[in-house]
Amino acid sequence: MLDDFFMRALIAGSGVALAAGPLGCFIVWRRMAYFGDTISHSALLGVALGFLADINLVLAVFAVAGLVAVGLMVMQRANTLSSDAILGILSHSTLAIGLVIVAFMTWLRIDLMAYLFGDILAVTTQDIAIIYGGGAAALAVLALIWTRLLADTVSFDVARAEGLRPEAARFIFMLLVAAVVALTMKVVGILLITALLIIPGAAARNFATTPETMAVIAAGIGVVGVVGGLHGSLYLDTPAGPTIVVAALLLFLASLGVRGLTQWRASRVAEDHHAV
């Protein structure tokens, strides 16, 4: 029989995967992996400012991540630097500033490892409620902007010509990613949340035939990765957060193998048909 803390970890991790999977699909489609890293790195600055101002850490992280998203859009419009250069500056600067602020707060003991790599086994029922409530809200908003965001992903100019306001959809999506990072940092950590946003979506891409199917499969792969990673952590006595990411990686590699085998069989069938 599994302990209560382990069951809470399973439930919380599954909630994170369900919320991160569909969002991660757009990150994969739009090639925004570096943006995910930037938002997650900025979370440490939010944690530091939250402790400094004595406010809710989730709200502090969301506020900082939201400001980073605004800064990114403003600098992209200025068109003075490439997007990857801007993301690099924002990512490393916010992470460094956060670490410096934490170092100055000598009166406060902060377990940086828990925030960087997560502490999923320490989640509470309140954390679970926040994860599922916030995750459901994020997915509801994603569903509302799904068509506009998908059109923007295919062609920004076409989406704008059709009056779909792609800029607004893009900004809302950035805020959704920021919200998910803020809600889930306690589970897998600031440095690992990007993996749960990207890897399930990348794996689902090898199976899906439609965007909607890919979102559902990505959420499912994320849940399987969480369950497998937690059980692996239990039996191998390894850190839970990193083990979850390793499990997700193994699922991605398996998806590549299945895709390669499917393509090989399809080519063999085509060759046999051509020979006949």
Side-chain angles (χ1 to χ4, degrees):
M1 179 122 180
L2 297 175
D3 292 325
D4 289 343
F5 74 88
F6 192 82
M7 290 302 300
R8 287 195 296 269
L10 283 172
I11 295 170
S14 297
V16 171
L18 290 173
L23 286 170
C25 291
F26 277 102
I27 290 179
V28 172
W29 291 330
R30 300 170 69 90
R31 300 178 181 179
M32 294 176 66
Y34 207 178
F35 169 75
D37 271 335
T38 301
I39 292 297
S40 62
H41 287 178
S42 70
L44 183 61
L45 176 57
V47 169
L49 293 177
F51 277 118
L52 189 63
D54 193 22
I55 59 176
N56 182 276
L57 295 186
V58 173
L59 293 178
V61 169
F62 176 70
V64 171
L67 288 174
V68 168
V70 171
L72 172 63
M73 293 198 71
V74 169
M75 285 188 278
Q76 282 179 331
R77 286 187 177 183
N79 202 27
T80 56
L81 288 172
S82 62
S83 292
D84 62 335
I86 295 171
L87 287 170
I89 293 170
L90 291 173
S91 175
H92 301 299
S93 298
T94 52
L95 180 62
I97 294 171
L99 289 171
V100 169
I101 292 176
V102 169
F104 273 118
M105 290 190 292
T106 54
W107 66 90
L108 187 66
R109 291 181 61 86
I110 300 176
D111 185 4
L112 280 180
M113 294 298 289
Y115 287 104
L116 293 176
F117 299 103
D119 192 7
I120 189 171
L121 298 178
V123 295
T124 64
T125 51
Q126 182 181 6
D127 294 327
I128 292 174
I130 292 173
I131 289 171
Y132 276 86
L139 291 179
V141 174
L142 180 64
L144 290 175
I145 65 170
W146 181 273
T147 301
R148 286 192 289 167
L149 196 58
L150 196 60
D152 178 31
T153 302
V154 175
S155 174
F156 175 82
D157 293 331
V158 172
R160 174 183 280 180
E162 293 182 355
L164 295 177
R165 299 178 63 192
E167 299 96 338
R170 186 180 302 180
F171 180 63
I172 293 172
F173 172 72
M174 290 180 177
L175 292 181
L176 290 179
V177 174
V180 168
V181 169
L183 291 169
T184 61
M185 63 180 177
K186 187 173 182 179
V187 177
V188 290
I190 291 168
L191 297 182
L192 300 180
I193 182 58
T194 311
L196 274 189
L197 283 167
I198 298 172
I199 296 177
R205 196 173 192 175
N206 293 318
F207 301 110
T209 55
T210 66
E212 292 77 14
T213 303
M214 181 172 163
V216 173
I217 294 175
I221 290 174
V223 171
V224 173
V226 167
V227 174
L230 279 173
H231 280 87
S233 171
L234 179 65
Y235 293 113
L236 299 175
D237 193 24
T238 53
T243 308
I244 289 173
V245 175
V246 171
L249 173 62
L250 293 175
L251 291 172
F252 169 70
L253 295 176
S255 74
L256 290 179
V258 172
R259 180 182 181 183
L261 181 60
T262 302
Q263 291 178 338
W264 177 77
R265 285 180 175 175
S267 65
R268 288 295 301 272
V269 170
E271 289 176 0
D272 292 342
H273 180 74
H274 181 71
V276 172

